[in-house]
Every structure is written in structure tokens, then in C-alpha cells.
Amino acid sequence: MNNDQYKRRSYDRETRDQNSHGSDGGRAQANKYDDPPNSRLFIVCGKSITEDDFKDAFEPYGIIEEIWVLKDRVTNEPKGVTYIKFSKTSEAALAMEEMNGRCIGSHPRPLKVLIAHSRDQGSRREMNEEERLVRLFVVVPKSMGESELREHFNQFGDVDYVSIVRDRTTKESKGFAYIKYHRMSHAAKAFEACERSFKPVFADPKPQKSGYHEGNGGDRMNGPGSTTSASTTASVSAGYDMLSYMDTSHSMSSPVLSSTRISSGDYLI
């Protein structure tokens, strides 16, 4: 990718993040399943795990609004995929961090717990998928520097890096910045509890280099001071590739799937 192409893609990404602050947002309006953002879990699990099992295991992390156990429409047998909707992003983040790889009760199969994609994101998961969950885009006073910004956001968790968007020529602040955390639960706390003047949103992942292939050693996830390794990223993404065909937020209306919800026991989609 030449320098002009990278500048253009970087500008487009910043524009998308800026647009999300407007009344129309430049994006599809979030439906109830994606409000607040990243508050819904996508879980690959054993087919014998029931709604009550999930409720007992995940309720300690926050208020569960709904649980969907996806079932075959013909046989009504569980598909081994479940969605859990929390009332807050930070609750879903903590549940994901604590429950991924764990077993529920006497069920021997470890859970694969991910943050579900929103409807406008679709089902494809990128190599730098994790970045969208740990990086915030914020509005900042043009007089504010990196150290002051870091000090405010460090109260919510360990900040990986702070990057103020600056004019390439004058080096003056454009009034926007990116805050990247090591953990999603910390980013979620900042998203919910930072000063509202920052108008935080979860940032789009950085564009990947053209021709990027898993295992080539490249790591587009890393920003200044990042400690995330390429091998970790590739390992996580390998799991995403196998699951992406199932993790589609449109599956609620799929002709081959149905679901039950704890908030309305007789509700079938």
C-alpha cells in the first residue's frame, strides 16, 4: 500500500469515527440488541447446557436482559450456540473475560465466549478483531496533551497508548484522540464513566495492510507502546475464522434457527 492510499484510508476511518458522534451517526441506528454497543455475548457451547445453566453462571457479572439458545427449527434441538444480552457493556466485557474457556457445572465442554457483532458489522471477523473492543475514539480540547488525557483515562484501567490526531503539517491537535486499553473491561468502564464531554465511542479497527495473511508476522493491532503480540492475534483470529459463519446477528431471523428468551419464555423467533 503506497503512502497516499494509507493516508486516504486513515482519513476515512477518522471520518467514520467522527460521524458516530452526530445525531444521525453516519451508521445504522443501533437496535435493541446492540444498545449499548458490545453488550451481547456470542457463545459456542455444549448442546446440553440450558437457559437456567447460563443464567446461574453469567448472572454474577451483571443484569441479564435476555438469553437466546439457538435451536433447529425442525427438530427444536439446541445448535450449540447461545446469545446473552447484558444491560451494560462493562458487564458483558467482564463476563467474556471471566467465562471464556471455562466449563459450566458438570458440562465438560469449555465455553467459547466472544462479543457478538452488531447487525451493521455483519459476521466476518478480521485479524485485528480484538482492537474494536479495546480502543476508544474521543473528542478532546485542542489544548489537551497526551499526558493529561492518559491521566484521566488511567483511572478506569491500564492504558496501552494515547494518540491525539494531529494535523500532518502543523502538528496541532484536531480535537480527536484514540485511547487503547489492554483489556476490554477497562475500555468499557471508560466508555461508560469518563467525562461526557469526551463523547466516547468504540473505534473502528485500523485498516490492515493489503495482502495480509495469517502467520506472516505482521501485526496491525499494535499501536505505540502496544504489548499485544502477533502470535496472540493470529491465535485469537484463527478461532474467529471458524466461528464467523455462525456469529451473524441476523441469525435471529434465520429460517433454520429459532431461539428462546428468558424474558419471555414462550417467545420463539
Side-chain angles (χ1 to χ4, degrees):
M1 179 185 299
N2 62 42
N3 199 40
D4 289 340
Q5 287 177 314
Y6 180 81
K7 288 179 180 178
R8 184 168 58 252
R9 291 182 67 176
S10 178
Y11 172 79
D12 290 342
R13 185 177 72 255
E14 290 170 13
T15 301
R16 288 197 304 272
D17 292 329
Q18 293 173 30
N19 285 342
S20 65
H21 289 285
S23 57
D24 294 331
R27 302 182 182 190
Q29 183 178 6
N31 58 58
K32 65 178 181 178
Y33 299 123
D34 304 312
D35 183 23
N38 301 322
S39 59
R40 191 163 51 102
L41 299 180
F42 169 73
I43 304 171
V44 178
C45 55
K47 296 181 180 180
S48 61
I49 303 178
T50 66
E51 285 188 27
D52 287 339
D53 291 332
F54 280 113
K55 187 174 184 294
D56 292 341
F58 283 83
E59 204 167 37
Y61 303 105
I63 299 174
I64 295 177
E65 293 184 345
E66 294 176 303
I67 294 178
W68 299 268
V69 177
L70 301 190
K71 296 182 178 181
D72 185 278
R73 186 174 295 276
V74 177
T75 66
N76 204 38
E77 292 295 319
K79 301 285 289 185
V81 174
T82 296
Y83 287 89
I84 298 179
K85 173 70 172 65
F86 280 91
S87 65
K88 297 173 65 176
T89 304
S90 58
E91 296 170 346
L94 184 60
M96 177 191 69
E97 292 172 353
E98 294 295 326
M99 292 300 296
N100 184 43
R102 293 180 59 180
C103 298
I104 291 180
S106 60
H107 302 281
R109 178 177 177 177
L111 304 178
K112 180 67 176 178
V113 185
L114 307 170
I115 297 296
H117 273 183
S118 64
R119 289 176 181 269
D120 60 333
Q121 287 171 325
S123 60
R124 180 178 176 80
R125 292 185 180 269
E126 304 295 343
M127 279 293 295
N128 57 350
E129 171 69 22
E130 185 183 74
E131 187 179 82
R132 75 179 178 92
L133 304 175
V134 295
R135 202 165 64 110
L136 300 177
F137 181 81
V138 297
V139 174
V140 299
K142 292 186 177 182
S143 59
M144 180 175 282
E146 274 88 352
S147 59
E148 184 180 356
L149 193 58
R150 177 184 286 270
E151 182 179 358
H152 175 76
F153 281 91
N154 257 334
Q155 65 183 299
F156 307 108
D158 187 24
V159 172
D160 185 353
Y161 69 79
V162 171
S163 178
I164 292 179
V165 180
R166 299 182 181 277
D167 185 275
R168 293 182 181 274
T169 302
T170 67
K171 305 304 180 183
E172 293 182 356
S173 170
K174 290 185 177 182
F176 304 101
Y178 290 94
I179 315 291
K180 183 172 181 287
Y181 287 89
H182 293 283
R183 296 177 56 183
M184 183 198 170
S185 58
H186 294 164
K189 288 179 182 177
F191 170 75
E192 294 167 353
C194 72
E195 292 182 10
R196 293 299 89 187
S197 61
F198 287 115
K199 300 180 181 179
V201 296
F202 284 92
D204 286 340
K206 297 175 184 178
Q208 298 179 39
K209 290 181 180 179
S210 178
Y212 184 94
H213 295 288
E214 181 178 324
N216 68 356
D219 186 7
R220 294 294 298 158
M221 182 180 288
N222 291 350
S226 175
T227 57
T228 305
S229 68
S231 61
T232 299
T233 306
S235 176
V236 171
S237 298
Y240 287 157
D241 291 340
M242 292 185 290
L243 298 173
S244 61
Y245 81 100
M246 291 188 293
D247 179 13
T248 167
S249 298
H250 299 286
S251 63
M252 301 303 176
S253 57
S254 170
V256 296
L257 298 176
S258 65
S259 67
T260 58
R261 312 195 298 187
I262 65 170
S263 60
S264 178
D266 58 351
Y267 183 73
L268 294 177
I269 299 179

